[in-house]
């Protein structure tokens, strides 16, 4: 599968396009989507081909992004706003270039890291004669079962890695907030302590002044 990518990412758009270009031949891509940015991908699909688009926001903000899928005629096949993750399966109704875009234009400060998997067509049979009329041999059936099981394992591993990356990002964000809060508390405690010292000194200073005046 060959993907073409175009985006409007502002000053950091070059980095995003570079990451996409390096992984343009892969069906799974992880890329950075800056704030106020939009990234689109294009794929040539033959009519009748079954396709699946799956995406998930790994890091950034509230872990949400806008996603839109359009057909060659501009018809909107899929549109979701501020989704953290989703999956959509469709069958191409005509030949042409299909476009799907991820938008972070609603975000002003935070950039996102987005993962998506775009599958076009079915996997080729494990054996050239798998679709034959006669039944498979016991060894061929075992190989097909193992092959399907390994594909499931790969999918589970991908989802677990995404969850681990998302959890690590949330933990780091929480750790940063706790650190800032601790520094703020330490500064407030220092200011209060210094204030109390000066306040106590002012009490004793007033007492000495009063005693001196009485004595005189």
């Amino acid at each position: 599968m060959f993907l073409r990518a175009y985006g409007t990412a502002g000053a950091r758009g070059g980095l995003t396009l570079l990451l996409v270009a390096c992984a343009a031949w892969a069906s799974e891509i992880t890329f950075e989507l800056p704030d106020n940015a939009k990234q689109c991908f294009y794929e040539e699909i033959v009519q009748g081909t079954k396709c699946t688009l799956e995406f998930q926001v790994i890091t950034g903000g509230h872990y949400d992004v806008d996603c839109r899928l359009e057909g060659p005629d501009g018809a909107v096949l899929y549109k979701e706003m501020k989704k953290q993750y989703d999956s959509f399966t469709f069958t191409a109704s005509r030949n042409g270039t299909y476009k799907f875009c991820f938008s972070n234009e609603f975000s002003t400060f935070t950039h996102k890291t987005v993962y998506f998997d775009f599958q076009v067509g079915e996997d080729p049979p494990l054996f050239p004669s798998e679709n034959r009329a006669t039944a498979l041999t016991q060894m061929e059936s075992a190989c097909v079962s193992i092959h399907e099981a390994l594909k499931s394992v790969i999918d589970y591993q991908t989802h677990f890695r995404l969850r681990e990356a998302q959890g690590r990002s949330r933990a780091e964000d929480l750790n940063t907030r706790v650190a800032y809060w601790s520094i703020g508390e330490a500064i407030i405690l220092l200011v209060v302590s210094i204030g109390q010292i000066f306040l106590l000194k002012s009490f004793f200073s007033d007492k000495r002044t009063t005693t001196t005046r009485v004595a005189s």
Side-chain angles (χ1 to χ4, degrees):
M1 183 180 67
F2 179 72
L3 291 174
R4 290 177 290 156
Y6 299 91
T8 56
R12 287 175 288 181
L15 176 60
T16 302
L17 292 178
L18 178 60
L19 293 174
V20 172
C22 294
W25 293 97
S27 59
E28 299 181 10
I29 296 178
T30 302
F31 65 98
E32 290 191 4
L33 185 62
D35 50 277
N36 294 316
K38 181 179 180 181
Q39 185 72 58
C40 294
F41 300 86
Y42 299 81
E43 174 68 15
E44 295 286 342
I45 303 177
V46 180
Q47 180 180 0
T49 304
K50 183 179 179 181
C51 307
T52 300
L53 172 63
E54 182 179 359
F55 68 92
Q56 179 175 343
V57 181
I58 302 176
T59 62
H62 296 287
Y63 302 90
D64 53 355
V65 72
D66 296 342
C67 183
R68 181 187 180 98
L69 174 64
E70 297 181 2
D73 55 351
V76 179
L77 305 178
Y78 172 84
K79 180 181 179 181
E80 289 292 341
M81 310 295 289
K82 296 185 178 181
K83 293 285 289 186
Q84 295 183 352
Y85 59 88
D86 202 3
S87 179
F88 175 69
T89 301
F90 68 98
T91 301
S93 58
R94 61 178 63 190
N95 299 333
T97 302
Y98 287 75
K99 178 178 73 171
F100 56 99
C101 300
F102 299 96
S103 174
N104 193 30
E105 294 174 324
F106 59 86
S107 179
T108 308
F109 302 103
T110 59
H111 73 281
K112 313 289 177 63
T113 302
V114 183
Y115 160 86
F116 76 86
D117 179 12
F118 190 59
Q119 300 178 358
V120 179
E122 300 289 344
D123 292 334
L126 187 60
F127 300 102
S129 57
E130 187 174 337
N131 296 326
R132 63 192 178 190
T134 58
L136 298 175
T137 64
Q138 185 176 0
M139 181 175 293
E140 289 175 340
S141 299
C143 291
V144 172
S145 300
I146 294 174
H147 179 67
E148 295 297 328
L150 289 176
K151 289 199 309 184
S152 299
V153 169
I154 293 174
D155 291 338
Y156 281 122
Q157 287 179 338
T158 300
H159 288 292
F160 284 141
R161 281 195 294 266
L162 292 175
R163 290 182 181 179
E164 189 272 336
Q166 190 177 69
R168 184 174 63 250
S169 174
R170 289 182 176 178
E172 292 176 352
D173 181 60
L174 180 61
N175 179 66
T176 302
R177 293 185 181 184
V178 171
Y180 286 149
W181 181 259
S182 301
I183 294 173
E185 284 186 334
I187 294 175
I188 293 174
L189 182 61
L190 180 62
V191 171
V192 171
S193 301
I194 295 175
Q196 288 179 344
I197 293 173
F198 282 104
L199 183 62
L200 290 174
K201 283 185 176 181
S202 66
F203 289 159
F204 288 107
S205 177
D206 292 342
K207 185 176 181 180
R208 286 198 301 270
T209 303
T210 303
T211 303
T212 303
R213 289 179 179 178
V214 172
S216 60

